[in-house]
Amino acid sequence: MNKVLSRAALLAATCALSAAPLTAGAQGSPKVITFWTAEMASYEPLMNGLIKQFETQNPGVQIKWVDVPFGEVQTRLVQAVAAGREPDVVNLSYEWTHRFAAEGALVPLQKYLSKQDLASYLPNILSAMRYGNDVGALPYLTTEVVLWNKDIFRQAGLDPNKGPTSDADLLRMGRQIKAKTGKYAFMPTGTILGNPYNFFRSYNIPLLSADGKRAAFNTPRAVAALKFWKAAYDQGLMPEETPSAEFKEEVTRFGAGDLAIAITGPWFVGSQLIPNGFDIGKLGIGAYYGIPNAATMDVAVMSGSKYPAEAAKWARFVTSDTAMLAHARFTNGTELPGTTQALRSNFFKQPETSAKTAALNQAYTTLKRISASQMLRARISPPKISTERYDELTTALKDAVKASLLGQKDPQKALADAQATWNKVLAAR
């Protein structure tokens, strides 16, 4: 396996909670499993509890937890591998998990996990974690929902309790909001327009041919979708800077009451709106009407782990039904299990009671119910493509969407150019 990336396959699988305890090495020293997470310092009570439980059940094994800022994980991981100091298990976004797996850098988890273990994960999600016959990682999840500002809806003469359930609704409501209030309707920089893979997934447009050898996204459906967003942009329903804006600008505008609708993850409420003083009582929440995103943070085992069996057991433990349900409770249901049994828990149907206010409890109750119900039809957006030119493919899609919105290219031409780039890269593999 690739020496530089091999240890990137971090937090992947862990063995069943009931498996026999692992023992220390011949010298009696503990087997230390280094576990990197991506910006989870605020989860300390949860993580410390899981670590204590695992170590109690597995004497002779210690978990060394290291939390790394989200934007630094990939760079620091590659540097650590090069220096021979990489972790055993790591927490990565799906796109980076795929890149490491494509280089043979992840431990094939089926070597250490039973078929029963693997069958416990959501089949539509685990299938995206397979690379040939190998399972590269184990997931925990979030998805996307539609949020809206009830005050702006009232000002526009819209029903504050009904959000958009189609693109047609989105356009109709957006026009009315702009005409009656002068405010922008939406700015989907974090989802549909900010991530090109989300754009094509949401409209159920395949990126690749069935054999994975050619691009397949230049379709009438894709042209129609780009024309829809071009029309919305031309009508002033989005801020002028939208095609080049970052997600933080959407966050700022929605939080300040300058944006009526946001298509984003349920975590947005707790991590962005509440800390910035948004009045949760005026927040409308609805299901996403397109193909919802399954945004995964994966747990993978690095191929350079000194103790791959123990590392895999920890990965399985931390993504098990029990651990993932504890994780969901800790986040008020805004982060979801990757396992079928945990996702079916009554927790996702019961009213939330742990928040500080009644309005917040109601918001979390709605968010977790909608999110859990969407997950079985959700899909992971980025494709599994083995190439060192992955960034070139991503840029081609981003440029197509941006050029269409700005009128620099007709949508048909923008898609044709992007598809030509993809086919050139795919043919060179």
Side-chain angles (χ1 to χ4, degrees):
M1 294 189 176
N2 182 289
K3 185 66 174 176
V4 174
L5 295 179
S6 62
R7 302 173 187 182
L10 318 88
L11 294 172
T14 36
C15 297
L17 294 177
S18 59
L22 298 166
T23 58
Q27 303 301 319
S29 58
K31 295 180 178 180
V32 178
I33 303 301
T34 302
F35 171 51
W36 280 16
T37 55
E39 204 155 315
M40 292 183 67
S42 62
Y43 294 62
E44 184 174 358
L46 171 69
M47 291 308 306
N48 285 345
L50 292 175
I51 290 170
K52 181 178 180 180
Q53 183 181 0
F54 181 82
E55 291 179 344
T56 298
Q57 294 178 5
N58 297 277
V61 180
Q62 291 182 3
I63 304 300
K64 180 182 178 182
W65 175 36
V66 178
D67 192 60
V68 180
F70 187 87
E72 299 177 16
V73 173
Q74 288 78 30
T75 300
R76 287 178 59 173
L77 184 58
V78 172
Q79 292 172 345
V81 171
R85 296 193 299 268
E86 69 274 20
D88 298 276
V89 184
V90 67
N91 172 213
L92 289 173
S93 65
Y94 172 77
E95 186 172 349
W96 276 95
T97 298
H98 166 66
R99 294 190 189 195
F100 285 124
E103 295 290 338
L106 307 186
V107 167
L109 295 174
Q110 75 279 2
K111 289 185 177 181
Y112 302 101
L113 303 184
S114 69
K115 291 182 179 180
Q116 184 177 0
D117 287 331
L118 296 176
S120 70
Y121 295 90
L122 295 168
N124 58 320
I125 305 303
L126 190 65
S127 63
M129 305 291 163
R130 291 186 180 276
Y131 305 90
N133 294 322
D134 294 340
V135 177
L138 302 177
Y140 65 90
L141 310 161
T142 187
T143 185
E144 57 198 356
V145 294
V146 180
L147 307 178
W148 62 91
N149 186 312
K150 290 183 177 181
D151 282 356
I152 296 178
F153 269 49
R154 290 190 184 94
Q155 294 166 17
L158 295 169
D159 185 338
N161 296 312
K162 293 183 179 180
T165 58
S166 66
D167 273 357
D169 275 353
L170 197 65
L171 192 61
R172 174 183 60 81
M173 291 176 171
R175 288 170 174 164
Q176 191 164 331
I177 289 165
K178 185 68 173 179
K180 295 290 185 67
T181 71
K183 295 181 182 292
Y184 292 112
F186 36 76
M187 188 183 188
T189 56
T191 51
I192 295 175
L193 299 184
N195 183 323
Y197 298 121
N198 284 343
F199 176 86
F200 290 94
R201 181 221 70 245
S202 66
Y203 289 99
N204 199 24
I205 300 167
L207 291 167
L208 296 171
S209 59
D211 61 9
K213 295 181 179 180
R214 299 178 308 281
F217 52 79
N218 185 8
T219 66
R221 185 185 301 169
V223 172
L226 281 178
K227 286 183 176 179
F228 167 83
W229 288 101
K230 167 65 173 168
Y233 184 66
D234 287 347
Q235 292 170 36
L237 307 186
M238 294 181 275
E240 185 176 354
E241 67 271 21
T242 297
S244 301
E246 296 182 358
F247 177 53
K248 63 182 180 181
E249 296 176 58
E250 179 182 3
V251 171
T252 299
R253 283 183 177 274
F254 189 87
D258 295 330
L259 199 66
I261 300 167
I263 301 174
T264 186
W267 50 266
F268 184 85
V269 174
S271 67
Q272 302 295 332
L273 296 185
I274 295 173
N276 291 297
F278 187 88
D279 180 1
I280 298 301
K282 64 182 183 183
L283 183 68
I285 303 170
Y288 179 55
Y289 53 82
I291 302 297
N293 185 32
T296 72
M297 286 300 294
D298 306 332
V299 177
V301 176
M302 307 284 295
S303 62
S305 172
K306 185 178 178 181
Y307 306 112
E310 289 80 3
K313 188 167 188 177
W314 166 249
R316 168 66 179 139
F317 179 90
V318 83
T319 60
S320 66
D321 288 322
T322 301
M324 283 290 89
L325 192 54
H327 189 125
R329 292 182 186 280
F330 188 81
T331 61
N332 300 104
T334 60
E335 294 179 12
L336 303 174
T339 55
T340 303
Q341 182 176 332
L343 195 63
R344 290 174 176 168
S345 167
N346 284 333
F347 165 73
F348 295 102
K349 303 172 185 177
Q350 294 168 344
E352 188 65 23
T353 59
S354 61
K356 294 181 179 179
T357 66
L360 192 51
N361 276 325
Q362 180 57 52
Y364 280 135
T365 298
T366 304
L367 285 168
K368 69 179 183 180
R369 175 181 53 79
I370 290 174
S371 298
S373 67
Q374 286 186 171
M375 194 47 66
L376 288 178
R377 65 184 182 91
R379 297 183 187 173
I380 293 176
S381 294
K384 291 189 289 187
I385 301 175
S386 299
T387 175
E388 295 179 354
R389 299 168 67 182
Y390 196 95
D391 289 341
E392 190 174 338
L393 300 180
T394 303
T395 298
L397 291 182
K398 285 184 176 180
D399 288 348
V401 174
K402 183 176 180 180
S404 296
L405 287 184
L406 294 176
Q408 297 169 344
K409 292 182 182 180
D410 176 84
Q412 181 80 59
K413 171 64 172 170
L415 288 169
D417 288 350
Q419 185 150 298
T421 297
W422 272 56
N423 286 333
K424 182 178 179 180
V425 171
L426 294 171
R429 290 186 295 172

